[in-house]
Amino acid sequence: MSESVLIDVRGLKCPLPVLKTAKRMAPLAPGTRVSVLATDPMAAIDLPHFCNENGHRLIEADRAGDLMRFEIEKGPGADRSR
């Protein structure tokens, strides 16, 4: 099983959640699973779009109150950052 990384961007506003996620994911190996915790409402749009544009797979997205959690798998050759 591949490693799992936690990226906590709670309290950060757009565009920082995506920018910090991209920076943390850039050096990771393809197939690495990442859990992103966010509170910015725009993350519900921005993080799935980031995955789609950069070849990552959004495995799961859920929300509990203001907290959102995104499970992402880094895609093959997806080493570009925004």
Side-chain angles (χ1 to χ4, degrees):
M1 186 194 271
S2 59
E3 66 178 290
S4 181
V5 175
L6 175 64
I7 301 174
D8 187 348
V9 292
R10 291 178 287 185
L12 299 179
K13 299 291 184 191
C14 182
L16 290 176
V18 168
L19 294 176
K20 298 247 182 216
T21 298
K23 185 174 182 176
R24 287 281 311 277
M25 288 183 69
L28 301 177
T32 301
R33 294 252 177 134
V34 174
S35 294
V36 180
L37 302 177
T39 52
D40 179 17
M42 290 302 296
I45 296 167
D46 293 343
L47 282 166
H49 180 72
F50 162 74
C51 291
N52 187 52
E53 290 295 308
N54 291 281
H56 306 304
R57 184 167 71 107
L58 180 61
I59 298 166
E60 183 180 1
D62 60 38
R63 168 176 262 170
D66 291 339
L67 179 63
M68 292 172 279
R69 183 181 60 84
F70 302 88
E71 289 292 323
I72 300 169
E73 181 178 275
K74 184 169 179 176
D79 55 6
R80 301 176 286 167
S81 61
R82 275 175 92 167

Coordinates of all heavy atoms in Angstrom, one line a residue:
M1 N 0.8 -1.2 0.0 CA 0.0 0.0 0.0 C 0.9 1.2 0.0 O 1.9 1.3 0.6 CB -0.9 0.0 1.2 CG -1.9 1.1 1.2 SD -2.7 1.4 2.7 CE -4.1 0.4 2.7
S2 N 0.5 2.3 -0.7 CA 1.3 3.5 -0.8 C 1.1 4.4 0.5 O 0.2 4.2 1.2 CB 0.9 4.3 -2.0 OG -0.5 4.6 -2.0
E3 N 2.0 5.3 0.7 CA 2.0 6.1 1.8 C 0.8 7.1 1.8 O 0.2 7.3 0.7 CB 3.3 7.0 1.9 CG 3.5 7.9 0.7 CD 4.7 8.8 0.8 OE1 4.8 9.6 1.7 OE2 5.6 8.6 0.0
S4 N 0.5 7.6 2.9 CA -0.6 8.6 3.0 C -0.1 9.9 3.7 O 0.7 9.8 4.6 CB -1.8 8.0 3.8 OG -2.8 8.9 3.9
V5 N -0.5 11.0 3.1 CA 0.0 12.3 3.6 C -1.2 13.2 4.0 O -2.2 13.2 3.3 CB 0.7 13.0 2.5 CG1 1.2 14.4 2.9 CG2 2.0 12.2 2.0
L6 N -1.1 13.9 5.1 CA -2.2 14.8 5.6 C -1.7 16.2 5.2 O -0.6 16.6 5.6 CB -2.4 14.6 7.1 CG -3.4 15.6 7.7 CD1 -4.8 15.4 7.1 CD2 -3.4 15.5 9.2
I7 N -2.6 16.9 4.6 CA -2.4 18.3 4.2 C -3.5 19.1 4.9 O -4.7 19.0 4.5 CB -2.4 18.6 2.7 CG1 -1.3 17.8 2.1 CG2 -2.2 20.1 2.5 CD1 -1.3 17.8 0.6
D8 N -3.2 19.9 5.9 CA -4.2 20.7 6.7 C -4.1 22.1 6.2 O -3.2 22.9 6.5 CB -3.8 20.6 8.2 CG -4.9 21.2 9.1 OD1 -5.8 21.9 8.6 OD2 -4.8 20.9 10.3
V9 N -5.2 22.5 5.5 CA -5.3 23.9 5.0 C -6.5 24.6 5.6 O -7.0 25.6 5.1 CB -5.3 24.0 3.5 CG1 -3.9 23.5 2.9 CG2 -6.4 23.1 2.9
R10 N -6.9 24.1 6.8 CA -8.0 24.7 7.5 C -7.7 26.2 7.8 O -6.5 26.5 8.2 CB -8.4 24.0 8.8 CG -9.0 22.6 8.5 CD -9.2 21.9 9.8 NE -8.0 21.4 10.4 CZ -7.9 20.7 11.4 NH1 -8.9 20.3 12.1 NH2 -6.7 20.3 11.9
G11 N -8.7 27.1 7.7 CA -8.5 28.5 8.0 C -7.9 29.3 6.9 O -7.9 30.5 6.9
L12 N -7.4 28.6 5.8 CA -6.8 29.4 4.7 C -7.9 29.6 3.6 O -8.8 28.8 3.4 CB -5.7 28.6 4.0 CG -4.5 28.3 4.9 CD1 -3.5 27.5 4.1 CD2 -3.9 29.6 5.4
K13 N -7.8 30.8 3.0 CA -8.8 31.2 2.0 C -8.2 31.1 0.6 O -7.0 31.1 0.4 CB -9.3 32.7 2.2 CG -9.9 32.9 3.6 CD -11.3 32.2 3.6 CE -11.9 32.6 4.9 NZ -13.1 31.8 5.2
C14 N -9.1 30.9 -0.4 CA -8.8 30.8 -1.8 C -7.8 31.9 -2.2 O -8.1 33.1 -1.8 CB -10.1 30.9 -2.6 SG -9.9 30.7 -4.4
P15 N -6.8 31.6 -2.9 CA -6.4 30.4 -3.5 C -5.5 29.5 -2.7 O -4.9 28.5 -3.3 CB -5.7 30.8 -4.8 CG -5.0 32.0 -4.4 CD -5.9 32.7 -3.4
L16 N -5.2 29.9 -1.5 CA -4.2 29.2 -0.7 C -4.4 27.7 -0.5 O -3.4 26.9 -0.6 CB -4.0 29.9 0.6 CG -3.3 31.2 0.5 CD1 -3.2 31.9 1.9 CD2 -1.9 31.1 -0.1
P17 N -5.6 27.2 -0.3 CA -5.7 25.7 -0.1 C -5.2 24.9 -1.3 O -4.5 23.9 -1.2 CB -7.2 25.5 0.1 CG -7.7 26.8 0.8 CD -6.9 27.8 0.1
V18 N -5.5 25.4 -2.5 CA -5.0 24.7 -3.7 C -3.5 24.9 -3.9 O -2.8 23.9 -4.2 CB -5.8 25.1 -5.0 CG1 -5.1 24.6 -6.2 CG2 -7.2 24.6 -4.9
L19 N -3.0 26.1 -3.7 CA -1.6 26.3 -3.9 C -0.8 25.5 -2.9 O 0.2 24.9 -3.3 CB -1.3 27.8 -3.7 CG -1.9 28.7 -4.8 CD1 -1.7 30.2 -4.4 CD2 -1.4 28.4 -6.1
K20 N -1.2 25.5 -1.6 CA -0.5 24.7 -0.6 C -0.5 23.2 -0.9 O 0.4 22.5 -0.8 CB -1.0 25.0 0.8 CG -0.8 26.4 1.2 CD 0.2 26.5 2.3 CE 0.3 28.0 2.7 NZ 1.6 28.4 3.1
T21 N -1.7 22.7 -1.4 CA -1.9 21.3 -1.7 C -1.0 21.0 -2.9 O -0.3 19.9 -2.9 CB -3.3 21.0 -2.1 OG1 -4.1 21.3 -0.9 CG2 -3.5 19.6 -2.5
A22 N -0.9 21.8 -3.9 CA -0.1 21.6 -5.1 C 1.4 21.5 -4.7 O 2.1 20.6 -5.1 CB -0.3 22.6 -6.1
K23 N 1.8 22.4 -3.8 CA 3.2 22.5 -3.4 C 3.6 21.2 -2.6 O 4.7 20.6 -2.8 CB 3.5 23.7 -2.6 CG 4.9 23.9 -2.2 CD 5.1 25.2 -1.5 CE 6.6 25.4 -1.1 NZ 6.9 26.7 -0.5
R24 N 2.7 20.8 -1.7 CA 3.0 19.6 -0.9 C 3.0 18.3 -1.8 O 3.7 17.3 -1.5 CB 2.0 19.4 0.2 CG 2.1 20.4 1.3 CD 3.2 20.0 2.3 NE 3.2 18.7 2.8 CZ 2.5 18.2 3.8 NH1 1.7 19.0 4.5 NH2 2.6 17.0 4.2
M25 N 2.1 18.3 -2.8 CA 2.0 17.1 -3.7 C 3.1 17.0 -4.7 O 3.4 15.9 -5.1 CB 0.6 17.0 -4.4 CG -0.5 16.7 -3.4 SD -2.1 16.6 -4.3 CE -1.9 15.1 -5.2
A26 N 3.7 18.1 -5.1 CA 4.7 18.1 -6.2 C 5.8 17.0 -6.0 O 6.1 16.3 -7.0 CB 5.2 19.5 -6.4
P27 N 6.4 16.9 -4.9 CA 7.5 15.9 -4.7 C 7.1 14.5 -4.5 O 7.9 13.6 -4.5 CB 8.3 16.5 -3.6 CG 7.3 17.1 -2.7 CD 6.3 17.7 -3.7
L28 N 5.8 14.3 -4.3 CA 5.3 12.9 -4.0 C 5.3 12.0 -5.2 O 5.1 12.4 -6.3 CB 3.9 13.0 -3.4 CG 3.7 13.9 -2.1 CD1 2.3 13.9 -1.7 CD2 4.6 13.3 -1.0
A29 N 5.4 10.7 -4.9 CA 5.4 9.7 -6.0 C 4.0 9.5 -6.5 O 3.0 9.6 -5.7 CB 6.0 8.4 -5.4
P30 N 3.8 9.2 -7.8 CA 2.5 8.9 -8.3 C 1.9 7.7 -7.5 O 2.6 6.8 -7.0 CB 2.8 8.4 -9.7 CG 4.0 9.2 -10.1 CD 4.8 9.2 -8.8
G31 N 0.6 7.8 -7.2 CA -0.1 6.8 -6.4 C -0.2 7.1 -5.0 O -0.9 6.5 -4.2
T32 N 0.6 8.1 -4.5 CA 0.5 8.5 -3.1 C -0.9 9.1 -2.8 O -1.4 9.9 -3.6 CB 1.6 9.6 -2.8 OG1 2.9 9.1 -3.1 CG2 1.5 10.0 -1.3
R33 N -1.4 8.7 -1.7 CA -2.7 9.1 -1.2 C -2.5 10.3 -0.3 O -1.7 10.3 0.6 CB -3.5 8.1 -0.5 CG -3.8 6.9 -1.4 CD -5.3 6.9 -1.6 NE -5.7 5.8 -2.5 CZ -6.7 5.1 -2.3 NH1 -7.4 5.2 -1.2 NH2 -7.0 4.1 -3.2
V34 N -3.4 11.3 -0.5 CA -3.3 12.6 0.3 C -4.7 12.9 0.8 O -5.7 12.8 0.1 CB -2.9 13.7 -0.7 CG1 -2.9 15.1 0.1 CG2 -1.5 13.5 -1.2
S35 N -4.7 13.2 2.1 CA -6.0 13.7 2.7 C -5.8 15.2 2.9 O -4.8 15.6 3.6 CB -6.2 13.0 4.1 OG -6.4 11.7 3.9
V36 N -6.7 16.0 2.4 CA -6.7 17.4 2.5 C -7.9 17.8 3.4 O -9.0 17.5 3.1 CB -6.8 18.1 1.2 CG1 -6.7 19.6 1.3 CG2 -5.7 17.6 0.2
L37 N -7.6 18.6 4.5 CA -8.6 19.2 5.3 C -8.7 20.6 5.1 O -7.7 21.4 5.1 CB -8.2 18.9 6.8 CG -8.0 17.5 7.3 CD1 -7.6 17.5 8.7 CD2 -9.3 16.7 7.0
A38 N -9.9 21.1 4.8 CA -10.1 22.5 4.4 C -11.4 23.0 5.0 O -12.4 22.3 5.2 CB -10.2 22.6 2.9
T39 N -11.5 24.3 5.2 CA -12.7 25.0 5.7 C -13.2 26.1 4.7 O -14.3 26.5 4.9 CB -12.4 25.6 7.1 OG1 -11.3 26.5 7.0 CG2 -12.2 24.6 8.2
D40 N -12.4 26.4 3.7 CA -12.8 27.5 2.8 C -13.9 26.9 1.9 O -13.7 25.9 1.2 CB -11.7 27.9 2.0 CG -12.0 29.0 0.9 OD1 -13.1 29.6 1.0 OD2 -11.2 29.2 0.0
P41 N -15.1 27.5 1.8 CA -16.2 26.9 0.9 C -15.8 26.8 -0.5 O -16.2 25.8 -1.2 CB -17.3 27.9 1.1 CG -17.0 28.6 2.4 CD -15.6 28.7 2.5
M42 N -14.9 27.6 -1.0 CA -14.4 27.5 -2.4 C -13.6 26.2 -2.7 O -13.4 25.8 -3.8 CB -13.6 28.7 -2.8 CG -14.5 30.0 -2.9 SD -15.8 29.8 -4.1 CE -14.9 29.6 -5.6
A43 N -13.1 25.6 -1.6 CA -12.3 24.4 -1.8 C -13.1 23.3 -2.4 O -12.6 22.4 -3.1 CB -11.7 23.9 -0.4
A44 N -14.4 23.3 -2.1 CA -15.3 22.3 -2.7 C -15.4 22.4 -4.2 O -15.6 21.3 -4.9 CB -16.8 22.5 -2.1
I45 N -15.0 23.5 -4.8 CA -15.0 23.7 -6.2 C -13.5 23.6 -6.7 O -13.2 22.9 -7.7 CB -15.5 25.0 -6.7 CG1 -17.0 25.1 -6.3 CG2 -15.3 25.3 -8.1 CD1 -17.6 26.5 -6.4
D46 N -12.6 24.2 -6.0 CA -11.2 24.4 -6.4 C -10.4 23.1 -6.3 O -9.7 22.8 -7.3 CB -10.5 25.4 -5.6 CG -11.0 26.8 -5.8 OD1 -11.7 27.1 -6.8 OD2 -10.8 27.7 -5.0
L47 N -10.6 22.3 -5.3 CA -9.8 21.1 -5.2 C -10.2 20.0 -6.2 O -9.3 19.4 -6.8 CB -9.8 20.5 -3.8 CG -8.8 21.3 -2.8 CD1 -9.1 21.0 -1.4 CD2 -7.4 21.1 -3.2
P48 N -11.5 19.8 -6.4 CA -11.8 18.8 -7.5 C -11.3 19.3 -8.9 O -10.8 18.5 -9.7 CB -13.3 18.7 -7.5 CG -13.6 19.0 -6.0 CD -12.6 20.1 -5.6
H49 N -11.4 20.6 -9.1 CA -10.9 21.2 -10.4 C -9.4 21.0 -10.5 O -8.9 20.6 -11.6 CB -11.3 22.7 -10.5 CG -10.8 23.3 -11.7 ND1 -11.4 23.1 -13.0 CD2 -9.8 24.2 -12.0 CE1 -10.8 23.8 -13.9 NE2 -9.8 24.5 -13.3
F50 N -8.7 21.2 -9.4 CA -7.2 21.0 -9.4 C -6.9 19.6 -9.8 O -6.0 19.3 -10.6 CB -6.7 21.4 -8.0 CG -5.3 20.8 -7.7 CD1 -4.2 21.4 -8.2 CD2 -5.2 19.8 -6.8 CE1 -2.9 20.9 -7.9 CE2 -3.9 19.2 -6.5 CZ -2.8 19.8 -7.1
C51 N -7.6 18.7 -9.2 CA -7.4 17.2 -9.5 C -7.6 17.0 -11.0 O -6.8 16.3 -11.6 CB -8.3 16.3 -8.7 SG -7.9 16.3 -6.9
N52 N -8.7 17.4 -11.5 CA -9.0 17.2 -12.9 C -8.0 17.8 -13.8 O -7.6 17.2 -14.8 CB -10.4 17.8 -13.2 CG -10.9 17.4 -14.6 OD1 -10.9 16.3 -14.9 ND2 -11.3 18.5 -15.3
E53 N -7.6 19.0 -13.5 CA -6.6 19.7 -14.4 C -5.2 19.1 -14.3 O -4.4 19.3 -15.3 CB -6.6 21.2 -14.1 CG -7.8 21.9 -14.4 CD -8.1 22.0 -15.9 OE1 -7.1 22.3 -16.7 OE2 -9.2 21.6 -16.4
N54 N -4.9 18.5 -13.2 CA -3.5 18.0 -13.0 C -3.3 16.5 -13.1 O -2.2 16.0 -12.7 CB -2.9 18.6 -11.7 CG -2.8 20.1 -11.9 OD1 -1.8 20.6 -12.4 ND2 -3.7 20.9 -11.3
G55 N -4.3 15.8 -13.4 CA -4.2 14.3 -13.6 C -4.3 13.5 -12.3 O -3.9 12.4 -12.3
H56 N -4.8 14.1 -11.2 CA -4.9 13.4 -9.9 C -6.3 12.8 -9.9 O -7.2 13.2 -10.6 CB -4.7 14.4 -8.7 CG -3.4 15.1 -8.8 ND1 -2.2 14.5 -8.8 CD2 -3.2 16.5 -8.7 CE1 -1.3 15.4 -8.8 NE2 -1.8 16.6 -8.8
R57 N -6.5 11.8 -9.0 CA -7.8 11.2 -8.9 C -8.4 11.6 -7.5 O -7.8 11.4 -6.5 CB -7.7 9.7 -8.9 CG -9.0 8.9 -8.9 CD -8.8 7.5 -9.3 NE -8.2 6.7 -8.3 CZ -8.7 5.8 -7.5 NH1 -10.0 5.6 -7.6 NH2 -8.0 5.2 -6.6
L58 N -9.6 12.2 -7.6 CA -10.3 12.6 -6.4 C -11.1 11.3 -6.0 O -12.0 10.9 -6.7 CB -11.3 13.7 -6.6 CG -12.1 14.2 -5.4 CD1 -11.2 14.6 -4.3 CD2 -13.1 15.3 -5.8
I59 N -10.7 10.7 -4.9 CA -11.2 9.4 -4.5 C -12.5 9.7 -3.7 O -13.5 9.0 -3.8 CB -10.2 8.7 -3.6 CG1 -9.0 8.3 -4.4 CG2 -10.8 7.4 -3.0 CD1 -7.8 7.9 -3.7
E60 N -12.5 10.7 -2.8 CA -13.6 10.9 -2.0 C -13.6 12.4 -1.5 O -12.5 13.0 -1.3 CB -13.6 10.0 -0.7 CG -14.8 10.1 0.2 CD -14.7 9.2 1.4 OE1 -13.7 8.5 1.5 OE2 -15.6 9.2 2.2
A61 N -14.8 13.0 -1.4 CA -14.9 14.3 -0.8 C -16.1 14.3 0.2 O -17.2 13.8 -0.2 CB -15.1 15.3 -1.9
D62 N -15.9 14.7 1.4 CA -17.0 14.8 2.3 C -17.0 16.0 3.2 O -15.9 16.7 3.2 CB -17.2 13.5 3.1 CG -16.0 13.2 4.0 OD1 -15.4 14.1 4.5 OD2 -15.6 12.0 4.1
R63 N -18.1 16.3 3.8 CA -18.2 17.5 4.6 C -18.9 17.2 5.9 O -19.9 16.4 5.9 CB -19.0 18.6 3.8 CG -19.4 19.8 4.6 CD -20.1 20.8 3.8 NE -19.1 21.8 3.5 CZ -19.2 22.7 2.7 NH1 -20.3 22.9 2.0 NH2 -18.3 23.6 2.5
A64 N -18.4 17.8 7.0 CA -19.0 17.7 8.3 C -19.0 19.1 8.9 O -18.0 19.6 9.3 CB -18.3 16.7 9.2
G65 N -20.1 19.8 8.7 CA -20.2 21.2 9.1 C -19.4 22.0 8.2 O -19.5 21.9 7.0
D66 N -18.5 22.8 8.8 CA -17.6 23.6 8.0 C -16.3 22.9 7.5 O -15.6 23.4 6.7 CB -17.1 24.8 8.8 CG -18.2 25.8 9.0 OD1 -19.3 25.8 8.3 OD2 -18.1 26.6 10.0
L67 N -16.1 21.7 8.0 CA -14.9 21.0 7.7 C -15.1 20.1 6.4 O -16.0 19.3 6.4 CB -14.4 20.1 8.8 CG -13.2 19.3 8.6 CD1 -11.9 20.1 8.3 CD2 -12.9 18.3 9.8
M68 N -14.2 20.2 5.5 CA -14.3 19.4 4.3 C -13.0 18.5 4.3 O -11.9 19.0 4.7 CB -14.3 20.2 3.0 CG -15.7 20.9 2.9 SD -15.6 22.1 1.5 CE -14.8 23.4 2.3
R69 N -13.2 17.3 3.8 CA -12.0 16.3 3.7 C -12.0 15.8 2.3 O -13.1 15.3 1.7 CB -12.1 15.2 4.6 CG -10.9 14.2 4.6 CD -11.1 13.1 5.6 NE -12.3 12.3 5.3 CZ -12.3 11.3 4.4 NH1 -11.3 11.0 3.7 NH2 -13.4 10.6 4.2
F70 N -10.9 15.9 1.6 CA -10.7 15.4 0.2 C -9.6 14.3 0.3 O -8.6 14.5 0.8 CB -10.3 16.5 -0.7 CG -11.2 17.7 -0.7 CD1 -11.1 18.7 0.2 CD2 -12.2 17.7 -1.7 CE1 -12.0 19.8 0.2 CE2 -13.1 18.8 -1.7 CZ -13.0 19.8 -0.8
E71 N -10.0 13.2 -0.3 CA -9.0 12.1 -0.5 C -8.6 12.1 -1.9 O -9.4 11.9 -2.8 CB -9.6 10.7 -0.1 CG -9.9 10.5 1.3 CD -8.6 10.4 2.2 OE1 -7.6 9.8 1.7 OE2 -8.6 10.9 3.3
I72 N -7.3 12.3 -2.1 CA -6.7 12.4 -3.5 C -5.6 11.4 -3.7 O -4.8 11.2 -2.8 CB -6.2 13.9 -3.7 CG1 -7.3 14.9 -3.5 CG2 -5.5 14.0 -5.0 CD1 -6.8 16.3 -3.4
E73 N -5.5 10.9 -4.9 CA -4.4 10.0 -5.3 C -3.7 10.7 -6.4 O -4.2 11.1 -7.4 CB -4.9 8.7 -5.8 CG -3.8 7.7 -6.1 CD -4.3 6.4 -6.6 OE1 -4.6 5.5 -5.7 OE2 -4.5 6.2 -7.8
K74 N -2.4 10.9 -6.1 CA -1.5 11.6 -7.1 C -1.5 10.8 -8.4 O -1.2 9.6 -8.4 CB -0.1 11.9 -6.6 CG 0.7 12.7 -7.6 CD 2.0 13.2 -7.1 CE 2.7 13.9 -8.1 NZ 3.9 14.5 -7.7
G75 N -1.7 11.4 -9.5 CA -1.7 10.7 -10.8 C -0.4 10.5 -11.3 O 0.6 11.1 -10.9
P76 N -0.3 9.5 -12.3 CA 1.0 9.3 -12.9 C 1.5 10.5 -13.7 O 0.7 11.0 -14.5 CB 0.7 8.0 -13.8 CG -0.7 8.1 -14.1 CD -1.3 8.8 -12.9
G77 N 2.7 10.8 -13.6 CA 3.3 12.0 -14.3 C 2.7 13.3 -13.9 O 2.9 14.3 -14.6
A78 N 1.9 13.3 -12.8 CA 1.2 14.6 -12.4 C 2.1 15.3 -11.5 O 1.9 15.4 -10.3 CB -0.1 14.3 -11.8
D79 N 3.2 15.9 -12.0 CA 4.1 16.6 -11.1 C 4.1 18.1 -11.3 O 4.9 18.8 -10.8 CB 5.6 16.0 -11.2 CG 6.1 16.1 -12.6 OD1 5.4 16.6 -13.5 OD2 7.2 15.5 -12.8
R80 N 3.2 18.5 -12.1 CA 3.0 20.0 -12.4 C 2.4 20.6 -11.1 O 1.5 20.0 -10.6 CB 2.2 20.3 -13.6 CG 2.7 19.7 -14.9 CD 1.7 20.0 -15.9 NE 0.6 19.1 -15.8 CZ -0.6 19.2 -16.4 NH1 -0.8 20.2 -17.2 NH2 -1.6 18.4 -16.2
S81 N 2.7 21.8 -10.8 CA 2.0 22.5 -9.8 C 1.5 23.8 -10.4 O 2.0 24.3 -11.4 CB 2.9 22.8 -8.6 OG 4.0 23.6 -9.0
R82 N 0.5 24.4 -9.8 CA -0.1 25.6 -10.3 C 0.8 26.8 -10.1 O 1.5 26.9 -9.3 CB -1.4 25.9 -9.5 CG -2.6 25.1 -10.1 CD -3.8 25.4 -9.3 NE -4.5 26.5 -9.8 CZ -5.7 26.8 -9.4 NH1 -6.3 26.1 -8.6 NH2 -6.3 27.8 -9.9

